[in-house]
Amino acid sequence: MKKIVFDYYGLIVAERQLRVKKLENNLYEIRSKRASNIQRAIYFQVQGSQYLITNAFTKKTNKTPESEKMIARNRRSQYFNKENKQ
């Protein structure tokens, strides 16, 4: 997994334009739409303004698939478990 730091103002703009949705505690979904294709990425906050994208997918329904949320939860847990061991 690769750490990504979001541009602070870019994330605020995305939140205002309703492109960011909180899925649960420290798990968020950001939306990108190009023509009729709607892509989503799930991410979590590492610390401060650092976020890590866990997975991305093309969303076909209004509800975020549980399988995609499970992937994100597992990767978030792996990340924090690894960080705590160091």
Side-chain angles (χ1 to χ4, degrees):
M1 288 187 279
K2 186 177 181 182
K3 279 187 187 180
I4 297 176
V5 178
F6 283 109
D7 175 87
Y8 179 74
Y9 294 105
L11 189 56
I12 289 175
V13 169
E15 288 173 341
R16 285 186 190 148
Q17 293 178 351
L18 303 177
R19 293 186 181 147
V20 172
K21 175 181 167 185
K22 184 173 184 176
L23 299 175
E24 58 189 58
N25 187 31
N26 199 18
L27 205 59
Y28 305 89
E29 178 184 82
I30 190 162
R31 173 182 57 137
S32 170
K33 184 175 181 182
R34 175 86 73 183
S36 63
N37 294 328
I38 302 172
Q39 291 79 34
R40 309 290 175 146
I42 299 179
Y43 66 96
F44 64 91
Q45 184 177 21
V46 174
Q47 116 183 30
S49 63
Q50 292 185 340
Y51 296 85
L52 194 131
I53 296 173
T54 59
N55 52 319
F57 57 97
T58 300
K59 192 169 177 179
K60 297 177 180 154
T61 65
N62 287 336
K63 194 170 184 181
T64 304
E66 189 59 37
S67 60
E68 297 294 341
K69 290 194 279 188
M70 186 61 71
I71 291 168
R73 286 184 200 112
N74 288 338
R75 291 180 179 166
R76 179 183 61 191
S77 293
Q78 288 173 355
Y79 178 83
F80 284 120
N81 287 338
K82 185 177 177 182
E83 287 294 308
N84 288 337
K85 289 180 182 179
Q86 292 179 356

